[in-house]
Amino acid sequence: MTDSELISEPVSSPGCPPPHPAPTRPSVSLPAGACDAHCHVFGPRQRFPYAADRTFTPVDVPKEQLRDLHAFLGLPRAVIVQSSCHGTDHSVLVDALATSGGRWRGVGLIDARTPPERIAELHAAGVRGFRLNFLPHLPAAAALDELAPVLAVAADHGWHAAVHVHGDGILRYRTLIESLPVTVVIDHLGRVDLSGGPASAEVDQLRRMLDAGVWVKVSGIDRVSRLGPPYADAVDLAALLVAHAPEKVLWGTDFPHPNITGPAPDDGLLVEALVRIAPTPALRAQLLVDNPATFYDFPASSVHAPAAQRSTE
């Protein structure tokens, strides 16, 4: 496989660009068992139709395309997050997990109508958490009192909540986040506004949440940065959080980068940024291997599996 063969010819889709056509081959060697803890699969729509009430329609990026990219980047394990464009029909996620040999885990979408037996089925398939969206362009999470019975079932399975907020949402939803009856991870650096710099109230709140036991994904640097590639301001924030609480951080590509403005980022450059985000081999092993192994309950056989062979063609 050549670099240019990684991404198939895209199908046009308003509002969601296709993945980068030729990602950079990373020069950094990732530790064995490295995990992309936040990525998605979309379609193909002929087999896995998108939800009728979706708020966006992505370009099809099926599991095979994700697997090829991970092999190219050196990421043998991954966590696939169910997208709101597929709604609560998890067929696409369960199908992907079933083909992974235990190297992929999932994060689902649940609502007040999700029956306990469905949560048990998703857990058996490899799902280990659910996402709560608090963004204007995505369907809003239900009120906690409506979700309480479902959250209790999820908690019984050891699931976590992945909370997706934007800007000052990390402050506005602080009380709600702290009241959740499960472990919480904040997606994409809290999507904080970096115009206030590292001393802003939003960044301070992220540090406080880490101190209180909340996890943070140092993913989405391309979404948070105000400078563009190589995203130096967002990389500095990610590095600050990794240094502050190395045992409570996770990293992911966010491939194939839905709901962004402009072209999709180069996933190879996102991997290269790990040298600054986690500047020592020990920190990278903790961020990419040890933390996700614990947080997502990966089977021991997949934790230190050798990275997929990269093409040399």
Side-chain angles (χ1 to χ4, degrees):
M1 176 183 295
T2 64
D3 293 10
S4 62
E5 291 172 336
L6 280 172
I7 305 300
S8 60
E9 188 67 25
V11 177
S12 61
S13 179
C16 290
H20 193 284
T24 302
R25 187 182 299 279
S27 61
V28 58
S29 180
L30 301 183
C35 180
D36 178 352
H38 195 108
C39 54
H40 307 277
V41 290
F42 297 130
R45 69 193 71 194
Q46 293 86 353
R47 183 179 177 192
F48 303 109
Y50 299 120
D53 62 349
R54 66 189 180 275
T55 58
F56 68 96
T57 302
V59 173
D60 280 358
V61 181
K63 62 182 183 292
E64 294 83 3
Q65 197 165 336
L66 177 66
R67 186 178 296 117
D68 285 349
L69 178 75
H70 283 161
F72 179 76
L73 298 176
L75 292 161
R77 292 187 295 139
V79 179
I80 300 174
V81 178
Q82 172 84 354
S83 173
S84 65
C85 69
H86 279 293
T88 56
D89 179 354
H90 291 82
S91 300
V92 66
L93 175 60
V94 171
D95 173 75
L97 298 180
T99 68
S100 72
R103 294 190 181 187
W104 286 351
R105 287 301 201 202
V107 174
L109 288 176
I110 58 178
D111 58 28
R113 300 165 296 175
T114 305
E117 55 269 24
R118 183 53 178 155
I119 292 177
E121 291 168 356
L122 291 172
H123 185 82
V127 174
R128 292 296 182 269
F130 59 94
R131 200 179 200 195
L132 295 176
N133 290 310
F134 297 99
L135 274 72
H137 66 275
L138 296 176
L144 277 191
D145 55 348
E146 297 176 21
L147 280 174
V150 179
L151 293 180
V153 176
D156 286 343
H157 285 281
W159 283 15
H160 70 273
V163 174
H164 197 189
V165 295
H166 185 275
D168 67 352
I170 196 70
L171 300 171
R172 287 188 291 119
Y173 295 110
R174 179 184 62 189
T175 301
L176 182 149
I177 292 168
E178 292 175 347
S179 71
L180 290 169
V182 295
T183 302
V184 173
V185 60
I186 304 297
D187 284 345
H188 303 329
L189 296 163
R191 302 282 295 271
V192 298
D193 181 356
L194 282 181
S195 62
S200 72
E202 296 168 15
V203 173
D204 181 64
Q205 185 58 44
L206 281 177
R207 288 197 296 261
R208 289 173 181 267
M209 285 187 162
L210 285 167
D211 292 340
V214 172
W215 293 58
V216 175
K217 287 183 184 176
V218 292
S219 56
I221 57 173
D222 57 294
R223 295 181 183 272
V224 174
S225 176
R226 297 172 62 87
L227 302 177
Y231 317 113
D233 51 347
V235 168
D236 286 346
L237 171 60
L240 175 71
L241 298 179
V242 169
H244 185 79
E247 75 288 355
K248 288 288 188 294
V249 286
L250 301 160
W251 173 89
T253 62
D254 192 28
F255 181 82
H257 312 283
N259 290 310
I260 61 173
T261 56
D266 179 342
D267 292 282
L269 291 183
L270 300 183
V271 172
E272 288 283 353
L274 285 165
V275 174
R276 289 188 57 200
I277 292 172
T280 69
L283 278 175
R284 288 194 290 276
Q286 186 166 16
L287 175 65
L288 300 174
V289 182
D290 299 335
N291 289 353
T294 299
F295 196 79
Y296 297 104
D297 183 35
F298 275 101
S301 61
S302 77
V303 172
H304 294 289
Q309 182 65 40
R310 301 183 188 180
S311 169
T312 57
E313 298 178 359

